[in-house]
Amino acid sequence: MADSNNKVNVHKGHRQRVKQKIAEHGIDVLHDHEILEYLLYPFIPLKDTNPIAHNLLNTFGNLYTLINTDADAIFNVPHVTKDAALFLSSLSGVFKRCLQVNSDSKKVFIRNVSDAATYLHSVTDGLDVEVIYMLCVDDACLMRAGYLMASGDAASCKTEIRNYLRKLDAINASHVYIGHNHTTGTPMPSKEDNDFTRRLNTALDSIGITLADHLILTDGGRYFSYRLNSLLEDAL
């Protein structure tokens, strides 16, 4: 029998190799579990974070669900420290803050459907869950705010209409663009999409705000526009 002290440690230097890969190619080349184990390095310095990362993904399903989970639930996963759980649960708020644009930050202008589609693709491409955004635009075409309104599967993504109206209370917006991604690869609207568009259009009209468009997006720059397909009025 071989001496156990002579066994090769396959994980020796693993952290440095992951860091080198990021330095040379960017974090996009990593698998989800590799990204997660990298994020855990500063908070779990003395353990191999690879099995912990796999366990977290097995527990919560994907990175998106994980970072939208409260810290206590994450901490319940074996070998996750309190600091690591707090850090992971805070990432969703950080990302949402980055997506919110107002007059005090870098100005973004949404002048037409093409501008809206370009912006929305920048935040939805590559996601494996369905998300829905609302872009709030004023009369000068300045984007006052961009909100992640909901996330989940196709059936649960449409949040309550009143949440959209509540977000608009404090925003000087005259019209909004709604965008959500289809993870199926086809941007064609479903009956549920049409129903949602109709209800939102009616609600926005009641407070004097125009639904400029509802865009359904898929990876690779493809999108379906209710406005360009003359379906927005039909949805009323």
Side-chain angles (χ1 to χ4, degrees):
M1 178 180 294
D3 189 336
S4 60
N5 292 329
N6 294 328
K7 289 182 179 179
V8 176
N9 183 358
V10 296
H11 293 289
K12 185 178 180 179
H14 178 65
R15 291 193 177 199
Q16 187 55 43
R17 289 193 295 272
V18 171
K19 292 176 182 178
Q20 187 65 31
K21 187 185 293 186
I22 295 172
E24 293 178 356
H25 306 290
I27 203 165
D28 287 345
V29 302
L30 301 184
H31 297 293
D32 283 0
H33 73 274
E34 293 177 311
I35 293 175
L36 185 51
E37 62 178 290
Y38 169 70
L39 293 175
L40 293 172
Y41 287 166
F43 304 99
I44 309 178
L46 301 180
K47 288 183 179 293
D48 179 6
T49 59
N50 180 279
I52 301 173
H54 279 289
N55 199 6
L56 283 166
L57 290 175
N58 288 337
T59 301
F60 297 105
N62 54 57
L63 282 174
Y64 195 94
T65 302
L66 170 62
I67 67 173
N68 282 280
T69 300
D70 65 80
D72 289 339
I74 298 174
F75 181 57
N76 285 332
V77 175
H79 306 300
V80 175
T81 65
K82 287 186 177 180
D83 284 344
L86 183 62
F87 172 72
L88 292 174
S89 67
S90 71
L91 289 177
S92 176
V94 174
F95 297 152
K96 290 176 183 178
R97 178 68 62 86
C98 291
L99 291 171
Q100 291 176 4
V101 180
N102 56 46
S103 58
D104 297 324
S105 60
K106 182 180 178 181
K107 292 183 177 180
V108 174
F109 288 92
I110 307 293
R111 298 179 177 86
N112 49 45
V113 174
S114 179
D115 286 348
T118 298
Y119 183 90
L120 289 164
H121 272 296
S122 73
V123 294
T124 62
D125 274 7
L127 296 181
D128 59 2
V129 294
E130 187 170 311
V131 296
I132 186 163
Y133 285 89
M134 178 170 66
L135 309 184
C136 308
V137 183
D138 66 16
D139 285 329
C141 298
L142 174 65
M143 181 172 149
R144 289 293 185 177
Y147 295 109
L148 172 62
M149 297 301 300
S151 64
D153 57 32
S156 64
C157 188
K158 306 300 185 299
T159 190
E160 293 288 339
I161 296 297
R162 63 175 177 268
N163 292 338
Y164 291 83
L165 305 186
R166 188 179 299 118
K167 288 289 188 183
L168 288 163
D169 278 346
I171 300 295
N172 181 25
S174 61
H175 54 288
V176 301
Y177 290 87
I178 300 297
H180 81 273
N181 61 319
H182 275 184
T183 57
T184 58
T186 173
M188 295 305 295
S190 64
K191 180 181 183 298
E192 182 188 41
D193 294 330
N194 293 336
D195 291 343
F196 168 74
T197 304
R198 182 190 311 111
R199 290 187 292 113
L200 182 61
N201 202 358
T202 300
L204 291 175
D205 185 64
S206 72
I207 61 172
I209 293 179
T210 300
L211 178 58
D213 208 343
H214 178 189
L215 301 173
I216 302 174
L217 309 107
T218 58
D219 287 354
R222 299 176 62 206
Y223 65 89
F224 177 92
S225 160
Y226 274 76
R227 178 69 64 186
L228 296 183
N229 283 277
S230 302
L231 291 177
L232 193 55
E233 292 301 320
D234 291 345
L236 289 172

